[in-house]
Amino acid sequence: MFVTILILAAIALLGSWFAYCIAFYSPKKSRASVDDLLTGEQYNAVSGHIFRISHIMEQYTFEPVWITASDGTELFGRYYHLKDGAPVEILFHGYRSHPFRDCSGGHALSRKIGFNTLVVDQRGQGSSGGHTISFGILEHRDCLCWINYIRARFGSGVPIVLSGLSMGAATVLMASGLDLPENVACIIADSPYSTPSAIIEKVAKDRHYPVALCRPFVHLAAFLFGGFRLNSCTAKEAVGRCKVPVLLIHGEDDRLVPCSMSLEIAACCASRVQVVTFPDAGHGLSYVTDPARYERVVVDFLNSVPTLKGSVSDAFIRNDNDNP
């Protein structure tokens, strides 16, 4: 009996370690680069555009910023100053991705409308510390740390916009359930998933893994090796406590994170929420599929936020002469 228990325990430990390495572990040497090209049918047609705007963003001068998360993890961000007293947009990239790739569209638009931007490397990614990616569960508290950094530096009167793509979108939506300062004006979430377990199981199914068999190992991996409980926080649950306006953007042909997940989140949102979908757009590709419409949607939403009135001007949209 004792031997059987030992064997089962060893299987559980090895299985969960394997699951941790696949889903959550992020070694420093293999983190995403701005030059990593997205592959697949949906990305081939737009990869050149993504590469171009990513490298345009790379050329702008930024101030490197380091802060310490509540658990002691060192976090890195790039602050781009455009105008004193302007709102600050904090941008969060996606899972195993790079901020120049995921945030280049949002950063370009922020410059056009006169916002300052803080583009962060999520924990376990880029130059930030840590080796665990927790699908927003640990990261959403890092979001509050970045908010507090902006407040301490620029004061409580400067409006803050939280923005993210994919896992970054889920991160800012999870943060919406926290007790956010009053100068957090709104949230823009592009291609978010409803819950960490839902997206992990969806990807596992796509890869033809036995989902029912993998499920306990994934949950155990998160707890034993990642130090968090999967689904202890979810975007769908957190927005039930949200107090600021939310814009959800999703590609209707998103084959990674189904567009229906944004609809699920919207149905649970306690605050004003707007859902805008882009026909034929794949995962995170709404901006590159139709930049003009994307910019108009975001600007109209920002103009509808009371605390941002007077901060956004269409004149910035028409001024396309902003070069590095």
Side-chain angles (χ1 to χ4, degrees), residues 6-22 217-218 220-221 224-225:
L6 280 179
I7 292 172
L8 291 175
I11 291 171
L13 196 62
L14 288 172
S16 60
W17 173 251
F18 182 68
Y20 172 74
C21 290
I22 291 177
F217 291 110
V218 171
L220 194 59
L224 288 180
F225 302 110

Side-chain angles (χ1 to χ4, degrees), residues 24-179:
F24 308 115
Y25 181 61
S26 174
K28 193 86 172 177
K29 62 183 179 181
S30 65
R31 295 183 181 180
S33 162
V34 66
D35 292 318
D36 292 341
L37 293 177
L38 296 168
T39 57
E41 175 192 348
Q42 291 188 306
Y43 297 106
N44 291 338
V46 295
S47 60
H49 187 183
I50 295 172
F51 184 83
R52 182 179 63 82
I53 62 176
S54 297
H55 281 277
I56 288 174
M57 181 177 173
E58 189 178 26
Q59 295 173 50
Y60 285 107
T61 300
F62 64 85
E63 176 191 341
V65 177
W66 291 92
I67 66 169
T68 303
S70 54
D71 64 354
T73 302
E74 292 296 310
L75 303 174
F76 175 74
R78 299 166 180 83
Y79 176 70
Y80 299 83
H81 189 79
L82 195 64
K83 188 170 63 173
D84 290 348
V88 178
E89 182 170 8
I90 310 177
L91 295 101
F92 293 79
H93 64 83
Y95 176 79
R96 300 193 191 278
S97 192
H98 193 283
F100 287 165
R101 186 169 67 202
D102 287 0
C103 303
S104 55
H107 174 258
L109 178 56
S110 284
R111 294 188 71 88
K112 286 184 178 182
I113 62 176
F115 284 16
N116 301 317
T117 51
L118 175 64
V119 184
V120 307
D121 285 3
Q122 298 237 52
R123 64 167 56 219
Q125 304 187 64
S127 297
S128 286
H131 290 285
T132 296
I133 302 172
S134 67
F135 287 77
I137 294 170
L138 300 176
E139 292 86 354
H140 83 284
R141 296 198 174 274
D142 298 341
C143 182
L144 183 58
C145 293
W146 284 115
I147 292 169
N148 289 334
Y149 165 78
I150 293 297
R151 281 171 58 84
R153 179 168 174 177
F154 299 111
S156 59
V158 171
I160 295 172
V161 176
L162 300 180
S163 178
L165 184 142
S166 193
M167 192 189 96
T171 297
V172 296
L173 290 171
M174 290 183 194
S176 75
L178 300 174
D179 186 17

Side-chain angles (χ1 to χ4, degrees), residues 242-298:
C242 186
K243 297 177 182 178
V244 299
V246 175
L247 172 63
L248 297 172
I249 297 172
H250 220 119
E252 294 178 16
D253 195 23
D254 192 329
R255 301 172 193 176
L256 179 62
V257 179
C259 187
S260 58
M261 288 193 173
S262 275
L263 301 180
E264 286 181 51
I265 293 167
C268 299
C269 194
S271 61
R272 177 170 69 86
V273 60
Q274 178 183 357
V275 182
V276 178
T277 62
F278 282 71
D280 304 320
H283 182 63
L285 299 180
S286 295
Y287 177 80
V288 294
T289 299
D290 192 345
R293 181 182 176 227
Y294 193 102
E295 291 186 346
R296 175 52 54 194
V297 164
V298 171

Side-chain angles (χ1 to χ4, degrees), residues 223-243:
F223 180 70
L224 288 180
F225 302 110
F228 65 94
R229 293 183 182 275
L230 201 63
N231 285 349
S232 58
C233 181
T234 73
K236 190 165 71 169
E237 175 268 336
V239 296
R241 300 186 298 277
C242 186
K243 297 177 182 178

Side-chain angles (χ1 to χ4, degrees), residues 294-315:
Y294 193 102
E295 291 186 346
R296 175 52 54 194
V297 164
V298 171
V299 169
D300 286 348
F301 170 74
L302 293 174
N303 276 325
S304 74
V305 177
T307 54
L308 292 174
K309 281 194 178 298
S311 299
V312 184
S313 170
D314 281 352

